[in-house]
Amino acid sequence: MPVIELRAWSKDDLELLHRANTPELMDQLGGPENHEQVLARHERYLRLQREGTAHQFRIVIEGHPEGVGIVGYWQHESHGEPALEAGWSVEAEYRGQGIAPAAVIAMLEAARSAGESLPVHAYPRVDNPASNAVCRKAGFRLLGEERFEVKPGLVLQTNDWVVDLEPLARA
């Protein structure tokens, strides 16, 4: 896997969010957003990070401190139980290099280090083999298919993947 670094979401990451606002990357969220919606999402990421209810990260690789993608986790409810949900995107020109699985693994380690212990779910569409492969490579286990409401009125047929966050072993 490539060497990646995760950097906590900051006010400087708005341009990265604009670059991720493509039809291909936003199809699972209902399509690209207008400038005001991207700005609102950026502000929401910053606010939720301050509140401690969500953590987004810029994915950095050598030579690209501006970031090549986004990965994060946030509070979620799965079948009435508290959980975390994970999501990620990597810019098209950097796909197929193992960046997404490495970033998801690093994000899970960051969550563990932060004391998170809830199960982490990911919901890639059933027809998205690349994101389903990321889940497998990052150690998630497949629970099955599920209809998942991404936002009001937008329901997708997804796979429900989960990974349990085990506490770090104390030496």
Side-chain angles (χ1 to χ4, degrees):
M1 288 206 188
V3 175
I4 61 105
E5 180 184 340
L6 298 185
R7 296 196 184 147
W9 199 259
S10 76
K11 62 180 178 60
D12 297 331
D13 290 321
L14 179 59
E15 178 57 32
L16 178 59
L17 205 53
H18 274 294
R19 289 198 321 268
N21 190 38
T22 66
E24 183 182 34
L25 291 176
M26 295 297 291
D27 71 332
Q28 193 154 311
L29 300 174
E33 299 170 319
N34 64 37
H35 174 73
E36 291 76 24
Q37 291 169 316
V38 172
L39 186 57
R41 187 155 49 107
H42 176 62
E43 293 299 327
R44 186 173 65 249
Y45 286 178
L46 292 170
R47 178 179 50 80
L48 295 174
Q49 191 130 307
R50 283 190 308 271
E51 294 171 356
T53 58
H55 299 277
Q56 298 292 336
F57 303 92
R58 173 176 15 133
I59 303 168
V60 174
I61 62 172
E62 184 176 343
H64 295 282
E66 75 283 1
V68 299
I70 302 164
V71 65
Y73 66 93
W74 51 93
Q75 292 179 353
H76 172 69
E77 196 173 278
S78 176
H79 304 285
E81 297 293 324
L84 299 172
E85 183 180 343
W88 58 88
S89 69
V90 172
E91 293 177 14
E93 63 202 82
Y94 300 102
R95 291 195 196 134
Q97 301 175 35
I99 293 170
V104 171
I105 289 167
M107 180 268 306
L108 292 171
E109 287 304 316
R112 282 184 187 98
S113 294
E116 299 288 357
S117 60
L118 294 171
V120 181
H121 290 259
Y123 299 95
R125 288 190 348 206
V126 296
D127 63 350
N128 185 336
S131 285
N132 283 284
V134 168
C135 290
R136 267 192 309 282
K137 291 174 184 177
F140 286 73
R141 71 181 183 284
L142 180 62
L143 296 179
E145 288 188 21
E146 185 169 308
R147 291 180 54 77
F148 188 81
E149 188 169 30
V150 177
K151 62 184 181 183
L154 179 59
V155 179
L156 303 174
Q157 189 66 26
T158 66
N159 282 321
D160 181 2
W161 293 86
V162 68
V163 65
D164 295 314
L165 291 179
E166 300 295 326
L168 293 173
R170 301 285 182 221

